[in-house]
Every structure is written in C-alpha cells, then in structure tokens.
C-alpha cells in the first residue's frame, strides 16, 4: 500500500466521477440560467474573521484555517454567503436590483467525515439580493425545487421543510430577550434531531435555569405543527402578541400561495424542526431532505436581511440557498437518474507507418472542426487498431490504407452497421457528420 493517501474527507475524481460531477454542475447552471440568474465566483481562501464574525459558532468549529506566510489568519471557505455579502455590499449602489447571482464551487469544512458529510464538497449557491418581498423568498424556493426536479427527482423523492425564524423568535422571546441566549436556544433547536434529548435539556437549562423542561415541551409542540391554522392556535395559547403573529402568518400564507401558483406546493411541508445552524438568518428558512428522511440535507437556505449591514455596508435584504453535491450525487445514483456519462469518441483513425503523416493531417482538420477523434499513438496491425476503435466506442473508423491514401482517399467504416465507403479526403467530414 502506498504511503501517499488522500486526506480524510477529500475525494479523488476519476473520469467517471468527474463525468457525474460535470453532469450535476451542468444541470445547476442550466436551471439557474432559466431563472435569470448570473454566475459569479469568490476567492477560495478568505480572512478567517469573515467567517468567525458572521457564520455562527458551528461553522467556527469546522474551519479549515491556517496562518499564511505573512502572518495573516486565513481559512478555506466553509460557505460562500459571507464572500457574496462582501462582493455585493461593496458595489450595491451601482448595481441594478434585484441582484440574482449563482455560483458552483468547492467549500471546505473540517467536519468528522461520515455518510453525506466530507471535508471538501461542492455547493450550488443561488441568492437574490435587494428585494425583501415574500415573492423573492418564493422565487428562491422555486429555484431550489426546480433544480432537483430537473434531475428527474419528484415530490415522492424529496421535500422542502419550510420554517420561519421570525415566529421562532416570537416564541423564544417569551422565555428570554437576551440576544446571545436567543441564538443559543436556536442552536439547541437546530441540533434537536441529531442529539440526545437529555443533552438538549442540559443545554437549555444552562441558558434558562430551571426552565429547561418547560421550554423543551413547548419546542416539541411547535415542532409537531404542520399547518398555518395549527400555528395560529399554538401562538394564541401562548399569548404571544397577536398582531405580530397574525401579520407573519399572513405572510406565510402569501408565500405558500405563490408556491402553489408555481405548481410546487406538493414539495413543501411546514416544519418547525428547521431553524438552520448558521447565525445570520432572519426570516423564512428551509432545508431539503429526501422523503425517507434517511440522508443528510440536500440543501439549506433562507432570508438573511442583516448580514450585509453587519459587514459594514449599507443594509441590503437577501435570500438564498445552497445545494450540496454529496447527498445529491448519492440519491441520483440510487435512483438511476444518472445517464450514461462517459462520452465516447466520434471517430477513430486507423493508419500505417507510411500513411501516418497524411492521417495525422486529416485528423487535425477534423479536430479543428470540433469532431472528436482518437487514434493509437503508434501504428499497429489494422485488426488491433479496429479493436481499439470498438473499445473507444467510436461511431466511425477512418482507415488510411496505403493504396487509398495515394489516391487522396480513406475508407470510412460505420462501426455499428459494419458498412464501408471509399471517401476522398475533403468529403470525410461530410460523411462522418451523417
Ligand atoms: P448549509 O446548510 O451549511 O448552508 O449547506 C448547504 C448544503 O451544503 C447542505 O444542505 C449540504 O447538502 C451541503 N453541505 C454542507 N456541509 C457539508 C459537508 N461537510 N459535506 C458535504 N456536504 C455539505 C450554507 O452553506 C448557506 N451558506 C446556504 C445559503 C446560501 N444561505 C443563503 N445563501
């Protein structure tokens, strides 16, 4: 066994893996463009502070961070949103709104590698900035769902669990108004599905002494609600100021109505089990899961209206999401939704030592015309070269025999039909384009 192994949580992409990755990226890009989003990118490495200040405590523990040779504290990006916020914030005034941007790129988190979670992974990020309407939230949710649909996934395969940080905050404010405690409670709720109940209770007790049991019970009740009517009742019983709750539930209804008119309501479940681990969300939040609930999240996102202001720029509302490639790739393979991915070559050149020069010249002409052509680097018996053509999956073999080449001709063989045609050099391209 070689001593040189790749690092834990980092993948090597053999050609078939790269083909799957490209297939996934192409679908991301195609879908984003059909929604009128433009592609951008940001640095892979950023000042560590960009993330420690804005992403929240969970991401901080997962940073892939170093000191560079200039003594700067730097990190491989764990997510794209803070970089996007900086890019847009610094030029927002001169930009036409709404800004609709997407990106496909690698992210790094120093997590314990496990099923669906690696230390390097790719994300498709899409964000809509400069518009605080409910319709902007709906557009982002629609893009997330439509992207997965374009892979062939249906509402039997996945659902989007939709929740709201504003209602969660109205609930939490009944227990504490300290901002750090409120964020701590959100963090506990976020982990509830992955952590033992006793641990969550202990954490709640730390934040709100001798209230842990009561708060946990209330959280469980809220989490079990899956309708707007249920939400209304829950908050009535809780005596939360009804004007604020009613206004928000009205906006929730507006969001669902827009998703209904997109024909996407079947994909959406109201689900307060979702709060999101990242600190910057301020409104509707969501995660997308496989229906079975077995795998890790396929995607996550929501509204984050304060982040750009907190980075020191003029306030700008924003909403967005990211889909990861790891869980998505697994599901596509499990459901046989990956087409035959490795491309075969269109033509294969068969030649002799004597016809090599002319064969190479004709081959380059085809390549210049965007035709895929391959050949054996050294001439071999025709039978061996034709076998290589079959193995390469070539549609045509172009055989440069010596007598034919002297007459500026080659034999074009259709490999599937086993038919052959003697063709003058200038007509080769026409024949193999049929
Ligand atoms: P996130 O929920 O941290 O959100 O990540 C989004 C998706 O990236 C996850 O649902 C998952 O598919 C994938 N992902 C995250 N961590 C890993 C990992 N260690 N290994 C494999 N896949 C992973 C964000 O990153 C936000 N910045 C999304 C966003 C954009 N919000 C607004 N705009």
């Amino acid at each position: 066994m070689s001593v040189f192994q790749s690092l834990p949580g980092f993948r090597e992409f053999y050609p078939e893996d790269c083909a799957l990755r490209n297939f996934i990226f192409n679908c991301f890009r195609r879908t984003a463009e059909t929604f009128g989003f433009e592609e951008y990118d940001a640095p892979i490495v950023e000042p560590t502070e960009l993330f420690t200040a804005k992403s929240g405590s969970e991401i901080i523990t997962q940073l892939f961070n170093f000191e560079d040779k200039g003594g700067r504290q730097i990190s491989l990006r764990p997510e794209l949103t803070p970089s996007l916020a900086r890019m847009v914030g610094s030029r927002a005034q001169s930009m036409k709104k709404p800004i609709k941007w997407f990106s496909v790129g690698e992210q790094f988190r120093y997590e314990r590698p496990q099923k669906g979670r690696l230390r390097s992974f790719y994300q498709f990020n899409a964000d809509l900035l400069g518009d605080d309407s409910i319709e902007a939230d709906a557009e982002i949710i629609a893009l997330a769902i439509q992207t997965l649909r374009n892979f062939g996934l249906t509402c039997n395969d996945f659902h989007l669990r939709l929740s709201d940080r504003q209602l969660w905050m109205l609930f939490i404010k009944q227990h504490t108004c300290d901002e750090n405690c409120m964020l701590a409670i959100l963090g506990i709720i976020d982990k509830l599905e992955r952590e033992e109940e006793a641990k969550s209770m202990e954490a709640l007790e730390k934040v709100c002494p001798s209230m842990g049991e009561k708060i946990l019970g209330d959280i469980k009740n809220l989490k079990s609600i899956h309708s707007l009517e249920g939400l209304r009742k829950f908050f009535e019983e809780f005596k939360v100021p009804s004007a604020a709750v009613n206004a928000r539930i009205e906006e929730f209804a507006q969001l669902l109505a827009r998703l209904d008119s997109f024909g996407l309501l079947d994909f959406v479940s109201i689900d307060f089990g979702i709060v999101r681990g990242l600190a910057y969300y301020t409104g509707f939040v969501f995660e997308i899961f496989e229906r079975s609930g077995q795998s890790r999240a396929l995607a996550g996102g929501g509204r984050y209206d304060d982040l750009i202001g907190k980075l020191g720029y003029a306030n700008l509302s924003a909403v967005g999401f990211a889909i990861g490639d790891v869980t998505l790739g697994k599901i596509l393979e499990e459901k046989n939704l990956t087409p035959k991915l490795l491309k075969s070559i269109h033509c294969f050149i068969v030649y002799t030592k004597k016809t090599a020069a002319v064969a190479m010249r004709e081959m380059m002409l085809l390549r210049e015309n965007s035709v895929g052509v391959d050949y054996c680097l050294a001439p071999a018996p025709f039978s061996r070269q034709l076998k290589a053509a079959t193995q390469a999956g070539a549609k045509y073999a172009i055989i440069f025999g010596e007598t034919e080449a002297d007459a500026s001709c080659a034999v074009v063989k259709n490999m599937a039909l086993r038919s052959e045609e003697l063709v003058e050099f200038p007509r080769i391209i026409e024949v193999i384009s049929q």
Side-chain angles (χ1 to χ4, degrees):
M1 199 172 65
S2 163
V3 284
F4 296 111
Q5 292 187 350
S6 61
L7 291 167
F10 283 79
R11 286 169 291 176
E12 293 173 312
F13 290 87
Y14 283 77
E16 58 275 24
D17 309 313
C18 247
L20 173 61
R21 192 174 77 179
N22 288 340
F23 164 75
I24 291 175
F25 288 3
N26 287 341
C27 185
F28 289 158
R29 291 198 162 95
R30 242 188 4 258
T31 313
E33 279 157 14
T34 61
F35 275 64
F37 281 63
E38 294 174 302
E39 187 160 4
Y40 73 100
D41 205 355
I44 288 273
V45 187
E46 290 278 17
T48 299
E49 214 190 335
L50 181 68
F51 306 114
T52 51
K54 305 300 161 211
S55 294
S57 56
E58 190 172 2
I59 283 260
I60 294 172
T61 61
Q62 298 169 345
L63 280 179
F64 231 112
N65 56 318
F66 319 93
E67 183 177 300
D68 75 4
K69 291 180 182 168
R72 293 174 203 90
Q73 296 302 319
I74 60 171
S75 285
L76 297 179
R77 62 185 188 197
E79 58 154 342
L80 202 57
T81 314
S83 309
L84 166 72
R86 183 191 57 214
M87 283 172 71
V88 172
S90 62
R91 290 209 194 153
Q93 272 178 337
S94 61
M95 292 166 91
K96 192 170 88 42
K97 317 284 182 321
I99 298 155
K100 293 162 66 174
W101 283 8
F102 78 94
S103 190
V104 179
E106 194 168 10
Q107 321 293 333
F108 305 86
R109 294 186 191 175
Y110 202 88
E111 290 196 49
R112 191 171 59 78
Q114 50 187 302
K115 200 164 169 261
R117 283 289 177 275
L118 298 172
R119 290 185 176 166
S120 145
F121 56 97
Y122 290 84
Q123 275 186 345
F124 165 46
N125 275 265
D127 293 82
L128 195 158
L129 305 102
D131 188 318
D132 64 0
S133 68
I134 299 297
E135 287 70 27
D137 292 69
E139 181 71 353
I140 276 295
I141 290 174
L143 173 53
I145 295 173
Q146 190 57 40
T147 304
L148 297 178
R149 290 181 84 197
N150 284 351
F151 285 105
L153 294 166
T154 69
C155 68
N156 295 325
D157 299 317
F158 73 93
H159 68 151
L160 182 143
R161 300 170 62 191
L162 178 62
S163 172
D164 179 33
R165 277 241 178 143
Q166 286 191 18
L167 285 175
W168 263 121
M169 285 313 235
L170 286 170
F171 162 81
I172 293 170
K173 273 185 192 155
Q174 298 299 300
H175 300 289
T176 171
C177 282
D178 179 290
E179 179 135 1
N180 287 333
C181 291
M182 284 166 38
L183 279 176
I185 294 180
L186 279 180
I188 296 165
I189 300 167
D190 180 53
K191 290 202 194 74
L192 225 47
E193 281 174 20
R194 285 168 274 149
E195 208 130 77
E196 278 171 34
E197 192 168 312
K199 249 187 159 176
S200 306
M201 175 89 93
E202 198 182 304
L204 279 171
E205 275 293 327
K206 256 193 206 146
V207 183
C208 301
S210 67
M211 294 285 290
E213 197 169 339
K214 161 92 178 83
I215 300 178
L216 190 60
D218 292 339
I219 290 172
K220 279 188 186 163
N221 286 340
L222 182 46
K223 275 180 52 157
S224 68
I225 294 169
H226 297 289
S227 70
L228 293 186
E229 211 25 61
L231 283 175
R232 213 170 265 131
K233 276 201 193 124
F234 174 87
F235 280 101
E236 260 167 31
E237 277 164 28
F238 230 79
K239 299 188 182 59
V240 175
S242 62
V245 170
N246 289 342
R248 193 57 181 163
I249 289 181
E250 187 45 46
E251 287 178 334
F252 217 132
Q254 213 180 312
L255 175 58
L256 295 177
R258 176 54 73 104
L259 292 170
D260 194 18
S261 56
F262 286 150
L264 299 179
L265 208 52
D266 286 348
F267 291 87
V268 179
S269 325
I270 296 174
D271 187 336
F272 277 70
I274 300 300
V275 292
R276 304 285 292 136
L278 294 156
Y280 46 66
Y281 293 106
T282 54
F284 290 113
V285 285
F286 56 88
E287 289 187 8
I288 300 181
F289 283 86
E290 202 186 354
R291 278 276 178 198
S292 68
Q294 298 293 310
S295 341
R296 299 293 298 257
L298 281 154
R303 180 165 282 286
Y304 53 102
D305 283 344
D306 299 341
L307 181 61
I308 296 172
K310 280 186 179 161
L311 289 180
Y313 303 106
N315 279 329
L316 191 72
S317 48
V319 56
F321 69 86
I323 302 180
D325 72 318
V326 180
T327 303
L328 174 62
K330 281 221 174 72
I331 292 177
L332 295 180
E333 279 182 334
E334 274 165 25
K335 298 194 183 285
N336 275 330
L337 289 172
T338 53
K340 183 177 166 280
L341 289 168
L342 282 179
K343 292 224 165 60
S344 12
I345 198 83
H346 193 61
C347 296
F348 205 92
I349 300 285
V350 176
Y351 63 106
T352 68
K353 201 171 170 193
K354 274 206 182 133
T355 64
V358 76
M360 296 302 111
R361 188 192 69 206
E362 291 303 314
M363 177 177 76
M364 289 308 283
L365 275 175
L366 291 174
R367 287 175 166 175
E368 279 167 33
N369 281 284
S370 308
V371 180
V373 193
D374 205 355
Y375 67 110
C376 296
L377 291 173
F382 275 10
S383 59
R384 214 184 302 153
Q385 292 189 64
L386 284 166
K387 195 171 166 202
T390 307
Q391 283 169 344
K395 188 167 178 204
Y396 296 101
I398 308 173
I399 306 164
F400 291 82
E402 287 167 17
T403 327
E404 292 87 354
D406 282 345
S408 297
C409 290
V411 172
V412 175
K413 177 172 180 170
N414 184 316
M415 300 296 283
L417 302 178
R418 295 172 177 270
S419 60
E420 292 187 354
E421 187 181 343
L422 185 64
V423 182
E424 288 180 356
F425 290 162
R427 280 195 60 239
I428 291 179
I429 187 148
E430 185 191 317
V431 174
I432 57 98
S433 303
Q434 286 162 10

